[in-house]
Amino acid sequence: METYAGPREYQYDTLRFLLIALVVLGHLLELAEGFPHREFLYAVIYSFHMPAFLFLSGMFARFDRIHYIFGLALPYLLLQTLYTSFVHALGDPYVHVEFSRPYWLLWYLFALMVYTALLPVYDSPSRWGRGMLAAGSVVLALLVGCDPSIGYQWSASRIVAFQPWFLLGYYYRKERPWRERLEGMAPLPGAGMAAAAAACCAALEWLVFRCGISAKMMLGAYPYGELHYGWPQRLLIMCCAASAVFLLFVVAAPRMKRRLPLLTTLGQNSLSIYLLHGFLIQLLRLKFPWLLSGTWQVLAV
């Protein structure tokens, strides 16, 4: 969803690199049972990395029919076919070619299809209208877990649960004067805001783990009853993600505008990396799990 027409903003490419590295590491941790502090690290990653990615996708989203067909719809159909065929050929008997149940990480691409199609609805001309739409999306994200019939089919639960992040990113991009004021903030107040945001983020992360919230609860894919939690826990998860998104995009991004060799280039191709690295992950899972038996092996992969 890197469709914004304008000068390249390297700070967002750097953030893309950070986030895609966390995505790949998170998927490897699912297989690497011997990795030190695996469960804790996995939960920290999942507490904010997909909300941040969707916020970033929302920032650069626009509705274009050609891009929608050739950049989202056709890649989804192709990759859904390739992934399910690949995994089935590797020996997973429970996976078959179907299009109504996005396979594993393809839920993200399918969600982008839905959110992009809704852009004309999101595009309210007034701040009041945008605020109401954002607030409504948060309410829906909290309520969707109450209905056990909404789950993996069409990735419906995740689409509703993560919609606020895409929507907030889309609206944040439109608030240019506010963003320019933040970027022009003097060093001392800027450092104070950064320290306060980091402290808030750390406190909320601590509270999430203190309340016994697991990474599985952060996926947005399961009804409350199945995992024995409720909307207050999801609200806390969303607050934790919001603090991390604020720290990354409002505090850090304006101060990291330099182009970084290799990292920025990798960040520019984050969507391709996201969609294709899963073939390697599934190959490791089904044929070569021993390659992830040690810490150094996980980091090398």
Side-chain angles (χ1 to χ4, degrees):
M1 292 298 293
E2 298 158 16
T3 57
Y4 173 73
R8 195 81 200 183
E9 296 173 279
Y10 295 123
Q11 66 269 37
Y12 298 118
D13 291 327
T14 304
L15 286 178
R16 287 185 182 96
F17 168 77
L18 169 65
L19 293 172
I20 195 61
L22 291 175
V23 167
V24 175
L25 177 59
H27 287 155
L28 289 171
L29 289 177
E30 292 179 11
L31 309 178
E33 296 183 359
F35 198 89
H37 309 292
R38 169 177 170 261
E39 295 296 333
F40 173 76
L41 183 58
Y42 184 78
V44 169
I45 291 172
Y46 274 80
S47 69
F48 73 90
H49 79 311
M50 291 317 299
F53 240 135
L54 283 164
F55 187 93
L56 191 54
S57 294
M59 284 185 64
F60 292 89
R62 65 183 176 89
F63 186 82
D64 178 271
R65 188 177 301 173
I66 300 300
H67 173 74
Y68 189 84
I69 294 172
F70 293 100
L72 294 174
L74 289 180
Y76 169 71
L77 295 175
L78 175 63
L79 287 167
Q80 179 75 0
T81 302
L82 289 176
Y83 262 109
T84 50
S85 301
F86 180 73
V87 174
H88 185 74
L90 287 178
D92 191 334
Y94 301 103
V95 177
H96 305 281
V97 177
E98 59 177 328
F99 298 101
S100 62
R101 191 182 176 96
Y103 179 70
W104 189 35
L105 51 69
L106 292 180
W107 76 268
Y108 183 81
L109 185 59
F110 189 79
L112 289 184
M113 289 172 54
V114 175
Y115 298 149
T116 303
L118 289 173
L119 284 179
V121 178
Y122 295 152
D123 209 9
S124 174
S126 69
R127 286 185 175 178
W128 184 89
R130 293 196 292 267
M132 291 299 292
L133 284 169
S137 72
V138 172
V139 172
L140 289 174
L142 296 174
L143 292 178
V144 69
C146 298
D147 189 345
S149 67
I150 304 176
Y152 273 98
Q153 197 73 6
W154 300 109
S155 292
S157 181
R158 277 176 161 169
I159 287 171
V160 177
F162 286 104
Q163 181 180 220
W165 306 111
F166 182 90
L167 197 56
L168 288 171
Y170 185 64
Y171 292 155
Y172 179 68
R173 187 73 190 187
K174 293 179 176 294
E175 295 295 333
R176 187 178 183 87
W178 185 66
R179 288 190 292 111
E180 289 176 346
R181 285 197 297 271
L182 287 171
E183 292 178 8
M185 187 177 292
L188 189 59
M193 183 174 69
C200 180
C201 187
L204 285 168
E205 288 280 359
W206 176 85
L207 188 58
V208 162
F209 292 106
R210 179 72 175 176
C211 293
I213 294 173
S214 66
K216 203 170 183 180
M217 297 176 186
M218 302 172 186
L219 298 179
Y222 299 95
Y224 296 142
E226 186 171 334
L227 300 181
H228 308 292
Y229 74 121
W231 69 264
Q233 286 82 8
R234 176 163 289 178
L235 181 60
L236 178 57
I237 293 168
M238 294 177 72
C239 289
C240 183
S243 69
V245 167
F246 183 88
L247 185 62
L248 289 172
F249 291 93
V250 179
V251 177
R255 293 157 182 83
M256 47 191 291
K257 293 185 176 182
R258 292 179 58 188
R259 187 181 189 279
L260 301 177
L262 183 61
L263 304 190
T264 302
T265 302
L266 287 171
Q268 291 172 1
N269 296 283
S270 60
L271 186 58
S272 298
I273 295 171
Y274 178 83
L275 295 175
L276 297 177
H277 83 279
F279 289 106
L280 172 63
I281 300 296
Q282 294 302 325
L283 183 63
L284 291 171
R285 177 177 73 90
L286 294 167
K287 294 298 183 182
F288 305 105
W290 53 269
L291 283 174
L292 300 176
S293 59
T295 302
W296 68 270
Q297 291 170 295
V298 174
L299 297 177
V301 170

